[in-house]
Amino acid sequence: MKRHSPLLTLLLAGAFGLCVAPFYWLAMAATQENGDVFSWPPKLLPGGHLMENLQGLQDSIGLTRVLFNTALVAGVQTAGAVVVSVLAGYAFAKFEFRGRNLFFVLLLSTLVLPDTVMLIPIFEMMMKLGLIDSYQSVILPGLVTPFGIFLMRQSLRSMPDELLDAARVDGAGELRVLWRIVIPVNRPVIAALALFVFLGGWNQFVWPLIALRSPDMYTLPVATATLQGLVTTNYAQVLLAAAIAAIPVMALFLVLQRQFISGLLAGATKE
């Protein structure tokens, strides 16, 4: 095995420390009293106020309800977006139909539009449907992701048509071909897409802030913003909420990191 130079090891260790340091400080600050959060020198050991801050979050924003709302929105969005992306990507990659290239170009053109441009049209649409201040108003706009369709289309294009044709000759329908062959082969790409969509759904702030009116419907980012008062702010609770928001995403990445990296590499190299 090739040995790396001590200088390279030192540089990598320093880079790792710079990446981890903010998360470590966040975790430690979440256990401190509000007055100790920005003390100097900073307190780098766990404090004794974690349960107190958790209770404060529960009393202030209804932490349990907020986490349920966030998990529901992110989970349904992830499942729906993955299904839509796989089906649409499969259609664009393996079926010939009139206007296929035009539709795909139009789909890609939406990637250059800033998300803020779509806020007013989506709000008017949800208002006319009577869905404002509901789970549907937050979930539905995230079910179709142009990037996800593009990613799946690029991945599926590399699959041999002969493999799919052989399954059809054996009597398999399109849904069975999709379930038994397409999805297992492209599992790393699907895992990477799911992680991207879940991250976006878990952390989305602007659209839920506009679409939701009732505090009982708030997601974690929106509820965390309400902790900032006009005069005083309990930063220990704010940082604890931020730490709680980071935990599921980090845990999901650790579980799916191999599939995530394989999916990114596959998407980058397949033609």
Side-chain angles (χ1 to χ4, degrees), residues 7 10 13 46 49 189 264:
L7 179 59
L10 184 62
H49 300 274
V189 181
L264 290 183

Side-chain angles (χ1 to χ4, degrees), residues 116-160:
T116 52
V117 173
M118 304 301 297
L119 290 178
I120 294 178
I122 293 176
F123 181 81
E124 291 183 350
M125 185 183 302
M126 293 299 157
M127 181 70 74
K128 291 179 180 179
L129 293 174
L131 297 179
I132 292 298
D133 198 27
S134 66
Y135 291 123
Q136 295 92 320
S137 65
V138 183
I139 293 172
L140 289 177
L143 294 183
V144 179
T145 58
F147 171 76
I149 297 174
F150 168 75
L151 182 66
M152 293 308 307
R153 184 252 190 187
Q154 294 302 104
S155 177
L156 292 171
R157 284 185 64 189
S158 67
M159 290 193 64

Side-chain angles (χ1 to χ4, degrees), residues 16-70:
F16 175 78
L18 289 176
C19 293
V20 172
F23 294 98
Y24 179 79
W25 177 83
L26 175 66
M28 296 301 101
T31 65
Q32 308 292 338
E33 283 186 302
N34 186 46
D36 294 333
V37 170
F38 299 111
S39 62
W40 188 261
K43 296 181 180 297
L44 300 180
L45 294 177
H49 300 274
L50 176 60
M51 299 308 299
E52 177 183 336
N53 292 334
L54 277 174
Q55 186 60 48
L57 280 179
Q58 182 64 32
D59 296 337
S60 301
I61 62 175
L63 181 61
T64 305
R65 178 70 182 184
V66 164
L67 287 175
F68 171 79
N69 294 340
T70 312

Side-chain angles (χ1 to χ4, degrees), residues 5 8 30 73 94 112-113 115 133 135 157 194 216 221-222 253 262:
S5 66
L8 179 59
V73 169
K94 296 302 180 182
V112 304
L113 294 175
D115 293 338
D133 198 27
Y135 291 123
R157 284 185 64 189
D216 289 342
V222 177
F253 176 76
S262 300

Side-chain angles (χ1 to χ4, degrees), residues 40-236:
W40 188 261
K43 296 181 180 297
L44 300 180
L45 294 177
H49 300 274
L50 176 60
M51 299 308 299
E52 177 183 336
N53 292 334
L54 277 174
Q55 186 60 48
L57 280 179
Q58 182 64 32
D59 296 337
S60 301
I61 62 175
L63 181 61
T64 305
R65 178 70 182 184
V66 164
L67 287 175
F68 171 79
N69 294 340
T70 312
L72 177 65
V73 169
V76 175
Q77 271 191 352
T78 300
V82 168
V83 170
V84 171
S85 297
V86 170
L87 293 176
Y90 183 55
F92 277 119
K94 296 302 180 182
F95 289 94
E96 295 285 346
F97 54 90
R98 182 176 298 178
R100 183 182 70 169
N101 293 333
L102 175 61
F103 289 140
F104 188 67
V105 170
L106 292 175
L107 176 72
L108 290 182
S109 66
T110 62
L111 291 174
V112 304
L113 294 175
D115 293 338
T116 52
V117 173
M118 304 301 297
L119 290 178
I120 294 178
I122 293 176
F123 181 81
E124 291 183 350
M125 185 183 302
M126 293 299 157
M127 181 70 74
K128 291 179 180 179
L129 293 174
L131 297 179
I132 292 298
D133 198 27
S134 66
Y135 291 123
Q136 295 92 320
S137 65
V138 183
I139 293 172
L140 289 177
L143 294 183
V144 179
T145 58
F147 171 76
I149 297 174
F150 168 75
L151 182 66
M152 293 308 307
R153 184 252 190 187
Q154 294 302 104
S155 177
L156 292 171
R157 284 185 64 189
S158 67
M159 290 193 64
D161 292 334
E162 294 78 10
L163 178 63
L164 304 180
D165 291 337
R168 296 185 184 109
V169 169
D170 290 339
E174 291 301 330
L175 290 179
R176 187 172 183 181
V177 170
L178 192 68
W179 181 255
R180 295 291 185 180
I181 299 176
V182 173
I183 291 178
V185 171
N186 292 275
R187 189 174 299 166
V189 181
I190 294 174
L193 174 61
L195 186 59
F196 274 123
V197 176
F198 183 84
L199 178 62
W202 183 269
N203 290 328
Q204 63 178 329
F205 172 71
V206 176
W207 174 241
L209 180 65
I210 295 173
L212 301 176
R213 308 285 177 81
S214 304
D216 289 342
M217 300 294 298
Y218 284 170
T219 57
L220 185 56
V222 177
T224 302
T226 65
L227 293 173
Q228 299 183 12
L230 295 176
V231 180
T232 61
T233 300
N234 192 319
Y235 287 103

Side-chain angles (χ1 to χ4, degrees), residues 242-263:
I244 293 173
I247 290 174
V249 176
M250 296 175 67
L252 188 62
F253 176 76
L254 290 176
V255 172
L256 299 177
Q257 60 178 326
R258 181 171 299 179
Q259 291 85 349
F260 176 71
I261 295 173
S262 300

